[in-house]
Amino acid sequence: MSFQPFVPISSASQISLLPELSSEQSLGSQAWLLKGYALPHAGAIFEAVADALEGSPLRKMSTARGWMSVAQSNCGAYGWVSDRTGYRYATSDPLTGTPWPAMPPVLYQLAVNAAQHVGFGAFDPQACLINYYEPGSRMGLHQDRDEADLKAPIVSVSLGLPAVFQFGGLCRTDPVQKVGLEHGDVLVWGGVDRLRFHGVMTVKSASSPLAHAHRLNLTFRRVT
Ligand code: MD3
Ligand code: FE
């Protein structure tokens, strides 16, 4: 699975002049969308992710119900893995048999800062799941509940192609709110919103040849 790094279209100096691009939206009482929060760091994030993927490449994992359409890898002390027997966190990459690449400082710091920005102090993420969507990829409605520490927040960074995120309730059948996620957006959620069902609708290809060709999502979690 190849990873195509891409250059940010706008420069950081242009972005900082547009306060509306870094506004925060509240999605729940403890869930926030930080529009454009990661934009100034997009280039550095792509480089850091490309480095990590040299140690642990992208791969499509299997589940009890079939193959995932999203290609994934991890960096950090723990990585989220799935196979036909279920989901778990592992300290080694089952593909290489070696520990996951270390979490690059630029990724760690971005996650810590974003959590701090909305009031989650002292977030110390141990796992960064790298989700790579090609057009046609999706992530069905699910809860993130494989972590022993459900008190810590989760931070997710979206880059590249836009997607429609589904933000549901605590029951699978609760109505979902649809939220557009764009290049540079960061989501932070925890507390009462930590176990909400969520998913990503099928990613559409870009209409412009100058646009990004894939969607990259980084999800930072405390595991133990
Ligand atoms: C809000 N990834 O890897 S991240 C996942 O965009 C995952 O690739 C999605 O869900 C992605 O598990 C969405 C944003 C997100 C994740 C979990 C949440 C938002 C959430 C849990 C509760 C509330
Ligand atoms: Fe999730």
Side-chain angles (χ1 to χ4, degrees), residues 114 138 175:
R138 61 188 290 275

Side-chain angles (χ1 to χ4, degrees), residues 142 144 198 221:
H142 67 279
D144 289 14
H198 58 280
R221 305 186 179 101

